[in-house]
Amino acid sequence: MLLPHAVALLAVVSSVGLLLQWRTPVGDAILVFGRIDVLVCTLFLSLPLALELLRRGRSASLGICAAAMFSGWGIVVALMVWAASALPRGEFSEWSLVAIRGAIGLCVASGSVGFANLVAHSAGGRRDREQPLSPDGDIERVLSAWPRRAIFAGLWILVPAVYAHAVAADLQKALTESLQNQRIALAARQADQLSQLAPAQTIDGTPLVTLLPQLQQRRTQLIDQLATATEPTSLGEIAQQITTLVQLERHDEALRRIEPLTRGANFHPVALDYQGLCFQRMERPEESMAAYRRSLEFWMSQPDGPAKRSGLISGYKGVGFAARRLQMRLLEEQAYQQLVEIAPTGEHHFLLAQCYREHQKTRLAAEQFRAAMQQDPSMQSQIEAILATLSMDHFSCLSVPR
C-alpha cells in the first residue's frame, strides 16, 4: 500500500527539479512561482487533493491511471510554455497567478499519482474489488468524502496563496531596502522574483514592470564596466572597482581589492568600512565587528573635523548592526547612543528607538521615536503607527499593557 504513495512523492520531487529549469530570461526567478519555497509549498499541498481524487490506487483502471498521468503532465508543460511567452510581457493580478500556480500544482500531483498507480499495477496487480454497495451506501460514501475533499481543496488553494502573498510582502520590503543601499544585483534578483508573484506591485511609486528592466540594465552596465576595466592605478579607480563589486554582491572579489588598503603604506581608513560592510553582507558579523572597531579606533585618534565625524558615524552604525547579529545587546545600545550623540538626526534616533523596542524598553523607545519625528517630520505617519502599538507587549495571542 505504501508503494503508490512513495512513487507519487518521488515523482513530485522530480517535478520540482524539472520546474526549477523554467526560469525567467535572466534566470533570477522561477517562472510563475518566483522562488523555490513557493514552488515546493504549492506542489506538496496539491498532493493530498490529488491522492484523494485518485485514492483508489491500483483498483483504478489502467486507462484512468494513464489518462491522469499524461493529461496532468501534459497540461503542466502547456501552461509553462504559455507562461514563458506571456508572463514577462503581460500584466496578471496576484489572484490570477494564484490560480495558475494551483492548476500547475494539481496537474503535477495528479500526473505523479497516476504514474504511481501504473507502477502499482505492474508491481502487484489489482486489489480485490469491493462488493457492490446499495444505492444508499453509494450516497453515504459520496457524502462522507466531501468534508475531507473540501479540507484538501482548501489546503490546495488557500495555504499556498497566503504563503505566496507573505513572500511577496517580504520581497517588497527587502527590495526597497536593497534599492536604498544600492545593492543593484540583489535588487534585480528580488524584483524579478517579485514580478512572478505580484507583477502589478509598485516600489516607491515606480511600477515593478518599469523598475525591473531598469535594474537589469544597470546590473549589465556594471558587469560590462568590470569586464572592460584596466588594472587600477589610482586610489579613486580602486575605490570605484570596489564599489562596483559590492553593488554586484561579489564580496569575495571586493575583499581581495580591499585587503591591501587596510594596512601598511597603502592604508586608507575608508577601506575598513568597506571591509566591515562586505563581511556584514556575507553574514560574518564577528569579522564585520572587528573591521568597524578598527575604523573607530583610527578615527578617535584623529583631530575633529567633518572626516572624523563621518568616519565615526559609519563605524558606530556598523558596530551596532554587528552587535545585533551577535546578540550583544549592551554593545548595540551603546553604539547607537554614541551615534545619536555625534549626529542626532531622525534616522539615528529611529535606529536607537528600534534597538530599545527590540530590547523591550518601551519608554525609552517612545522617547527616541518622538525625537526622530521632531528631527524628521517626514517620518511622522510611520512613527505614529509604531507609537500606537508600542505600549503593548505581545505574548502569544495575548496583548498585555505595560
Side-chain angles (χ1 to χ4, degrees):
M1 288 298 296
L2 292 177
L3 179 62
H5 297 80
V7 174
L9 185 61
L10 180 61
V12 171
V13 172
S14 301
S15 299
V16 170
L18 292 173
L19 288 173
L20 285 175
Q21 309 305 312
W22 292 91
R23 293 270 174 172
T24 52
V26 292
D28 287 330
I30 302 168
L31 205 62
V32 180
F33 296 91
R35 293 192 336 196
I36 186 172
D37 53 337
V38 179
L39 170 62
V40 171
C41 176
T42 302
L43 262 59
F44 280 94
L45 285 171
S46 299
L47 189 57
L49 182 59
L51 286 169
E52 174 62 20
L53 295 176
L54 299 170
R55 66 189 179 89
R56 304 195 69 167
R58 290 176 292 168
S59 65
S61 68
L62 284 172
I64 293 176
C65 296
M69 180 182 72
F70 286 112
S71 63
W73 287 345
I75 292 171
V76 169
V77 171
L79 281 172
M80 297 307 291
V81 170
W82 167 78
S85 60
L87 283 180
R89 295 191 302 271
E91 293 188 10
F92 288 77
S93 70
E94 194 170 339
W95 279 105
S96 298
L97 291 170
V98 166
I100 294 171
R101 285 193 292 269
I104 291 172
L106 186 58
C107 288
V108 166
S110 298
S112 300
V113 173
F115 172 65
N117 289 343
L118 284 176
V119 171
H121 269 290
S122 62
R126 297 171 181 262
R127 290 184 298 179
D128 293 335
R129 293 285 187 178
E130 296 178 355
Q131 293 297 321
L133 296 176
S134 65
D136 290 342
D138 287 335
I139 295 173
E140 183 179 351
R141 182 179 60 180
V142 170
L143 291 176
S144 66
W146 275 112
R148 183 172 62 250
R149 291 177 180 176
I151 292 173
F152 289 152
L155 290 174
W156 165 53
I157 288 293
L158 294 179
V159 176
V162 170
Y163 184 78
H165 180 77
V167 169
D170 288 342
L171 277 172
Q172 183 183 7
K173 294 177 184 177
L175 174 56
T176 301
E177 184 177 344
S178 296
L179 291 171
Q180 292 171 348
N181 295 328
Q182 288 294 301
R183 302 182 70 171
I184 303 301
L186 180 60
R189 181 164 65 252
Q190 291 166 338
D192 201 12
Q193 292 172 348
L194 184 58
S195 70
Q196 300 300 310
L197 300 174
Q201 191 64 260
T202 59
I203 307 296
D204 291 335
T206 303
L208 190 59
V209 293
T210 302
L211 178 63
L212 176 58
Q214 293 175 350
L215 288 171
Q216 292 172 341
Q217 182 181 12
R218 177 58 180 156
R219 179 176 58 182
T220 301
Q221 291 173 348
L222 292 174
I223 292 172
D224 291 342
Q225 286 178 15
L226 285 178
T228 58
T230 57
E231 187 66 24
T233 56
S234 66
L235 183 61
E237 291 176 351
I238 295 174
Q240 181 59 50
Q241 285 200 5
I242 291 171
T243 302
T244 302
L245 288 167
V246 170
Q247 289 178 330
L248 290 173
E249 304 296 309
R250 291 159 63 170
H251 300 118
D252 287 325
E253 295 178 55
L255 285 172
R256 286 195 291 272
R257 291 282 187 185
I258 292 168
E259 180 60 28
L261 303 177
T262 62
R263 50 185 166 73
N266 295 322
F267 172 76
H268 196 285
V270 176
L272 296 173
D273 290 327
Y274 272 105
Q275 188 180 53
L277 178 64
C278 288
F279 285 133
Q280 179 190 110
R281 293 181 177 178
M282 295 169 74
E283 299 295 333
R284 293 160 64 177
E286 295 90 349
E287 292 158 291
S288 177
M289 173 81 77
Y292 280 119
R293 277 181 160 170
R294 281 188 62 197
S295 175
L296 285 175
E297 289 172 3
F298 171 83
W299 287 114
M300 285 177 181
S301 65
Q302 302 302 304
D304 292 340
K308 177 178 180 177
R309 182 174 181 272
S310 178
L312 290 175
I313 289 172
S314 177
Y316 281 122
K317 277 186 180 179
V319 168
F321 190 89
R324 177 178 301 181
R325 294 285 183 172
L326 294 169
Q327 298 295 311
M328 301 170 68
R329 292 190 170 189
L330 180 59
L331 180 58
E332 180 188 355
E333 289 183 11
Q334 290 173 344
Y336 288 131
Q337 286 165 358
Q338 289 291 328
L339 184 62
V340 166
E341 186 177 333
I342 294 169
T345 64
E347 176 195 355
H348 299 160
H349 278 292
F350 191 86
L351 287 173
L352 180 56
Q354 284 184 312
C355 173
Y356 283 142
R357 186 186 187 189
E358 291 174 4
H359 299 170
Q360 299 297 312
K361 298 181 179 181
T362 54
R363 182 182 60 80
L364 293 174
E367 291 175 359
Q368 292 301 318
F369 277 127
R370 293 190 184 97
M373 191 163 50
Q374 284 184 331
Q375 293 290 333
D376 188 353
S378 66
M379 305 173 75
Q380 180 173 350
S381 60
Q382 178 187 5
I383 291 175
E384 285 179 346
I386 295 173
L387 290 174
T389 58
L390 193 60
S391 62
M392 308 298 288
D393 276 339
H394 298 285
F395 298 103
S396 182
C397 59
L398 302 177
S399 296
V400 182
R402 288 179 63 128

